[in-house]
Amino acid sequence: MGTRLPWPWEMGLSDLSERAHLQAMLDNQMFPRNTLFWGDAGCVGYDVWNSILEKWHRFLSRIGSNVRLIT
């Protein structure tokens, strides 16, 4: 498939961390170089974003006013 779909996913109980699922996928799956990950407010934080960038991928994330970015 030209779009390289379907992508892997993680399933779990509703009270489990979306961030932990994303981190597990980054650790255990292979994605094409420069894959763009996009996430909602639950997938924020230096550890997650740094894991994405270390593997030569990019990300786009919706964040709330409670997230403080350092420039």
Side-chain angles (χ1 to χ4, degrees), residues 5 7-8 12 17 19 28 30 32-33 36 45-46 55 57:
L5 290 172
W7 293 315
S17 168
R19 194 176 310 159
N28 300 320
M30 294 293 293
R33 190 174 178 150
L36 175 64
Y46 177 81
K55 294 178 176 20
H57 304 306

Side-chain angles (χ1 to χ4, degrees), residues 38-49:
W38 73 90
D40 204 0
C43 296
V44 298
Y46 177 81
D47 293 336
V48 172
W49 293 341

Side-chain angles (χ1 to χ4, degrees), residues 2-3 10 21 26 37 43 45 57 67:
T3 59
E10 292 281 325
H21 285 298
L26 288 168
F37 291 88
C43 296
H57 304 306
V67 175

Side-chain angles (χ1 to χ4, degrees), residues 44-59:
V44 298
Y46 177 81
D47 293 336
V48 172
W49 293 341
N50 192 51
S51 294
I52 293 170
L53 294 175
E54 282 180 341
K55 294 178 176 20
W56 295 97
H57 304 306
R58 302 293 177 251
F59 65 89

